[in-house]
Amino acid sequence: MENFPNYAGYGQTPTVCVNHPNRVSYAQCKRCNRTVCGECQVNLDVGMVCPDCYRELTGGSSKGSKAQGSKARGSFLARHWHITYTLILINVAMYGLQQIIPNEWMIRHGSFWWPYVQHGEYYRIISYGFLHMQHDPMHLVWNMINLFIFGVSLERMMGRWKFLVVYLGSIAFGALGVYVLAPSTSVAGASGGVYGLYGAFFVILLLRRQKDTARLFMLLIGIGVVQSFFNPYISHAGHAGGFVGGVLLTLLIVPLVDKPEPPQQQSPQPWQNGRY
């Protein structure tokens, strides 16, 4: 993720293009808030972005932004599809298989339980994050709602593959949290990954210097955590591990952002000094 922090604290807001200091512009990238001129703008359905942000979102080159913008407008998947949707579909499909295959076979062979992992079933570190409580569909519903809300937003800000790394890594960290804090517990559910997205969103708010929003966000998360203590079937260890994983992974994949150079002052014209 590039150019993410809010630059308001660095001085006056630039009124020239970040790539062309001699061009005055008042258009700002919807993702990083940097000022860009008409030549640098890449128009997407979600708004105008700069070439650097477009490269992060698509994994392509920042050159030829106009041509890339046309390509993005012409590709339905590039405009509308997100990895978040794929993750939701996988979770729903897996839950459907849980209902079809008898004897809770999916849970028995896919949930996280350390003794099985210790004996070589390492896939459980990830597979448990795509299974849910067999007889409680709301377990799936609430996790998918939160995955949709935070997943789509974070995917747009971080880029698809970085988002996927954070999500899957948070599931693995959730399993690690269970191993450390509750090793005798068998768990299943996407909550570890979802709490990882909470952690990623919290880090991004801090990077953008939105401290008030970050405090409110953590207050809401804290209320949810307190309420969860009244449910004996919730794995708090998995939630804690996923949240820590989301924080750490987001910090690792966010590159340092250089302080933007202030606009260069143009030399005064003769008439500005009273000389003709």
Side-chain angles (χ1 to χ4, degrees):
M1 178 170 48
E2 297 181 357
N3 305 316
F4 204 78
N6 191 336
Y7 294 118
Y10 293 138
Q12 296 181 350
T13 301
T15 57
V16 297
C17 176
V18 68
N19 298 319
H20 303 93
N22 61 334
R23 299 181 185 178
V24 177
S25 176
Y26 298 97
Q28 291 184 323
C29 172
K30 298 300 182 182
R31 184 166 178 261
C32 68
N33 294 328
R34 296 191 303 172
T35 304
V36 288
C37 66
E39 181 181 341
C40 297
Q41 297 173 14
V42 181
N43 295 314
L44 303 176
D45 284 355
V46 296
M48 181 273 293
V49 296
C50 67
D52 291 336
C53 288
Y54 182 82
R55 181 184 60 208
E56 277 293 305
L57 291 171
T58 62
S61 171
S62 61
K63 297 181 179 180
S65 59
K66 289 293 185 180
Q68 290 174 341
S70 300
K71 182 178 179 181
R73 289 192 295 270
S75 172
F76 177 85
L77 291 179
R79 288 182 294 141
H80 298 287
W81 193 258
H82 299 277
I83 289 180
T84 301
Y85 301 156
T86 303
L87 293 173
I88 292 174
L89 288 176
I90 293 174
N91 277 274
V92 173
M94 295 295 282
Y95 191 76
L97 290 176
Q98 287 180 241
Q99 306 304 314
I100 296 174
I101 302 176
N103 301 322
E104 297 188 347
W105 186 90
M106 298 286 291
I107 290 292
R108 289 190 292 108
H109 290 83
S111 61
F112 177 82
W113 194 40
W114 177 245
Y116 287 153
V117 176
Q118 194 174 19
H119 285 83
E121 298 183 9
Y122 302 113
Y123 66 89
R124 291 177 180 265
I125 296 175
I126 297 296
S127 64
Y128 85 95
F130 294 90
L131 302 175
H132 289 81
M133 295 176 63
Q134 189 113 346
H135 305 293
D136 184 10
M138 294 308 298
H139 184 213
L140 170 71
V141 170
W142 285 117
N143 277 339
M144 294 303 100
I145 289 176
N146 284 282
L147 174 56
F148 172 77
I149 292 173
F150 290 94
V152 172
S153 297
L154 286 171
E155 190 174 339
R156 287 173 177 170
M157 292 185 288
M158 303 171 67
R160 294 178 176 178
W161 302 113
K162 290 181 180 179
F163 161 77
L164 184 61
V165 168
V166 170
Y167 182 76
L168 296 180
S170 298
I171 291 177
F173 267 90
L176 178 62
V178 173
Y179 166 68
V180 173
L181 302 176
S184 61
T185 305
S186 175
V187 298
S191 300
V194 170
Y195 267 77
L197 299 186
Y198 293 165
F201 195 73
F202 176 68
V203 169
I204 288 175
L205 288 176
L206 293 181
L207 291 177
R208 299 193 70 174
R209 301 181 182 180
Q210 298 180 5
K211 296 182 180 180
D212 292 337
T213 306
R215 281 194 290 266
L216 177 60
F217 177 70
M218 290 307 298
L219 176 61
L220 296 175
I221 297 300
I223 292 174
V225 170
V226 171
Q227 292 177 339
S228 69
F229 280 111
F230 295 96
N231 189 336
Y233 299 105
I234 290 181
S235 174
H236 304 291
H239 290 180
F243 185 87
V244 172
V247 170
L248 295 179
L249 291 170
T250 302
L251 289 174
L252 285 175
I253 69 173
V254 175
L256 295 176
V257 179
D258 294 331
K259 178 179 177 180
E261 295 294 335
Q264 297 179 354
Q265 296 291 336
Q266 297 182 355
S267 58
Q269 299 297 324
W271 57 81
Q272 293 175 322
N273 291 331
R275 291 182 283 111
Y276 294 91

